[in-house]
Amino acid sequence: MAERKPGRGAPKKPAAGKKKTGGGVPSREEILAFLADNPGKTSKREIGRAFGVKGDDRIPLKQLLKAMTEEGLIARDDAKNLRRTDELPPVTVIEITHTDTDGELIARPVNWPGEEQPPLIVIAPDTSRKKRDYDEPPAGVGDRVLARLSKVEDEDEAYPYEARVIRRIGRGAERILGLYRKNPKGKGGRLVPVEKKARNEYEVAPEDVNGAEDGNLVLGETIPGKRYGLSRARIREIFGDSEDPRSISLIAIHAHGIPDAFPDEVIAEAEAAKHQGLKGRTDLRDIPLITIDPADARDHDDAVWAAPDDDPKNEGGVVAIVAIADVAAYVKPGSPMDREARKRGNSTYFPDRVVPMLPERISNDLCSLVEGEDRACFAVRIVFDRNGNKRSHEFIRGLMRSAASLSYRQVQEAIDGRPDDAAGPLLEPVLKPLWHAYKVIMKAREVRAPLDLDLPEHKIDIGEDGRIAGVRIGDKFESMKLIEEFMIQANVCAAETAEAQRRSVIYRIHDAPSREKLVALAEFLATLDLNFTKGENIRPANFNRILKQVDGTEHDRMVSDVVLRSQAQAVYSPDNIGHFGLNLRRYAHFTSPIRRYADLTVHRALIAGLKLGKDGQTDDELAELTEIAEHISMTERRSMLAERDSKDRFIAAFLEARIGAEFTGRVSGVTRFGLFVKLDDTGADGFVPISTLGGDFFHHDEIIHALVGQRTRIAYRLGDAVRVRLEEAVPVTGGLRFELLEGGSEAPKGAGRRTRSPAGRGGAKRGKYGKSPRKAPRGRR
C-alpha cells in the first residue's frame, strides 16, 4: 500500500532530531510544534505514533497531555482531537461581521476561548458553487457559516486565517440602535429602534440590561427568543441619555455605520508626522495666498491668489494660483492612516461635530493652511485670457504661508466697501485683483452655461450648551461663487493633466438625465404650458431656459424641485463620461484632500505622472481604482444621508416645544398616502396623512405631482404654498406630523385621472409618516 502523504489523512512526522524512539516522551514545545504543523485529526494515539511512544511511556504522555489541557495550552474537540488553544480548529463556525476596504468578507469565530481579541478571518471566494447552488444567495455580512479554515503563512498578513464556506447555518445577531425603556412594573424593559421604518420593539430581560437606564440611547443585539411575542435583545453598548443633544449626531453616526474612532496605530502615525520643509519644493511664501471659508470652518485646505497677467501677448488676461494642502506628503499609500482614510472615504459634517477622514493632527494642524504659518502645498498656476478661457496651467509642489484666513462675509463686505480690520489692508493688493480675476473667469462660465439651480439651504445654529439655538436660511455671498469657480478650474486642470500624462485617475462624473426622467419632466412642464425638448442633444442650457422662465413666479420653487429630481447622481469613476451639470468634458476632484479620499488619489496620480516625488500613485492603488471609486461613492452617499438624518432630528428637537403652532411651507413631496411639507422658516420636512385631507376621494396624479380630489377637484401639488399646524414631533426619529389648514387649488383639466392606482379615501388607513421621499443627495460638485 502506498504511504499516505502528511496532511492528507495522516499527520506529518516530527522534524528530524525530534522524533522519540524507544521510550521517550516529547516535550511541551515539541507537542505544540507538532499540533501547529498538523491541524486536523490529531488524537493522543496519533501523537504517540508520530513520536514513537510505546509501552509504559504512553502513561506519562497521557499525563502530559492532560496537564497541558489543564494549563490551557491545548484543547480537545468533540471528536477528542487535540489542538493548540491559540489557534482555531480546521472546521468551525464563524460569523461574517463586515467587509474591508477591498470588499473582502471578514469574519470572526463564534466561539473563541482566548482572552485576547479573536483573529480575523478572510472568506475565500467560492469558485466551486454548482449551478443548483445559486438558488440560495451566497453568504454575506451577518451570516453564520460552517467553514474550513487554513492558516495563512505570511506573518504580516492582516488576516491570519482564510476560510472556505461549507454551508450557511443561519443569521448572526442583528444590531439595533434604539432607546431603552424600563418596564414600569417589574424588571427588564424594551428596546425601541430609532429607525423610522422599524415596526417592532424588542424585549430586554433583566439579565440583558447591562446597566442601561430608562431613556438611554443604546446599541442592542438580537438574541434567540420565544416563538411568539416580542423578539428579544440584549444591550451591548450605552451611549448616554437620549435627551442629551449630543446624542442626536451619535444616532446618525451609528445608524449609518460611520467609523468615528481612529485605531491607535493611526493616531500614533499621525502624531509622529513632522512638518514638511522647503527641500524639494518651490517657495511660494512671498505670494499673498489667502484662505476664504465659512466663518465656522473646521479646516482650511485651499488658498487662492490672482493678478493681471503681465505677458504682453495676453492683454487683459489674468493669472491665478490655487494652492491645496499637500496631504499626500503625510499620508503614504498603504499606511495605517491611508487604509483608515480609504475606509472612511470622506469626512462627515454634523451641526455639532465632524467625523474627519484624517486625524486632527493632520486635518487641523499639518494640512490646515493656517494664517502666518509655513505649510506644504500642491498648487496649480493657471493663465486665463481676457474672456476667461484657460490658456495654460502648471502644477507645483510648494511651501506657502497664508497671508490671511478670511470668511466669505468678510471678503464680501470688503468688496462692497465695508472692510473690517482684517480685510482692509488686503483690499487693494489682494482682494480686488482676486475679484477682477473672478469676473474674467465668469465670462467663460456664462458661455459654458452649467446647470443653474439655486435652492435655499437651511443652517442649524448650535448653542454653547449643545442644543439647537435656531434654524435659518444659509448666507449666500458672491464670494462663495468666487471660490467655487476657482476650485472648479483647478479640478479641470487636474483631470486634463492626468489624461495628458496618461495616468489613470478617479474622475467626478455626472451623467445626463435618463430618457424616462426627461419624458416625465416634459409631461409635468406641459401642465404649466411650458415646452421642454426631449431631444437627444440635451444640455444644461435646456434646463436653465425653463428655470429662467419661471423665476419669480408662483411655480419657481416647484419647477426647481422637479428639475433637481430629474438629474442623475454624481459619482466617482475611473471611466470618464464628463460632468453634465457643470457642462465639462473632464473633471476630477483635486481641491479637498483633507476631507475626500478621491482628491488624495488624484494628487498621487499627478505626483507620479509629473515626477514630483516618490509618494505618488502606486501600482497597487492603480489596480484598485475601480473598487476605490465604488467604495467612496458609497461612503459619500452614506455621509450625506447621515447628515440629513441628523439635521432632521435636531430640527424635530427644536420644534418639539412648538407643538400646536402654525407654520407656512410648501408641498415638497406627494405620495399616494399623503403630502410632505417643507416649512419656510426652518426647512423642516413633515408629513400630512391623507386621512386629514377630508372625506373626498383623492387620486395620486404622478404626472403633475399632485393629490387630486375626485369630487371637489381640489389639487395639492408639489411646490404649492400651504399653512399647517404641527401635531407631533419625535426627535429620536426626526419625524414631524402636520395637519393641513390652508392650501390647494383647482386641479388642471384632466388631472387626477392619470394615475396608476388610487391613493385612497380620506379617513382610510394612515401611512406611516417619516422623511420626504427625496432622492439621495447628489453631492458636492
Side-chain angles (χ1 to χ4, degrees), residues 638-658:
R638 177 180 68 183
S639 291
M640 289 179 178
L641 291 171
E643 291 167 357
R644 191 188 77 180
D645 286 355
S646 177
K647 286 183 179 180
D648 287 347
R649 289 184 173 97
F650 268 108
I651 292 175
F654 179 64
L655 293 177
E656 189 178 23
R658 302 182 65 184

Side-chain angles (χ1 to χ4, degrees), residues 732-750:
V732 74
T733 64
L736 301 173
R737 180 167 58 85
F738 299 128
E739 180 180 352
L740 187 67
L741 302 177
E742 290 180 7
S745 58
E746 185 177 351
K749 186 177 180 180

Side-chain angles (χ1 to χ4, degrees), residues 511-530:
D511 204 354
S514 68
R515 177 71 178 172
E516 292 75 14
K517 288 186 177 181
L518 290 177
V519 170
L521 176 63
E523 290 177 341
F524 163 73
L525 293 174
T527 67
L528 303 177
D529 295 324
L530 295 170

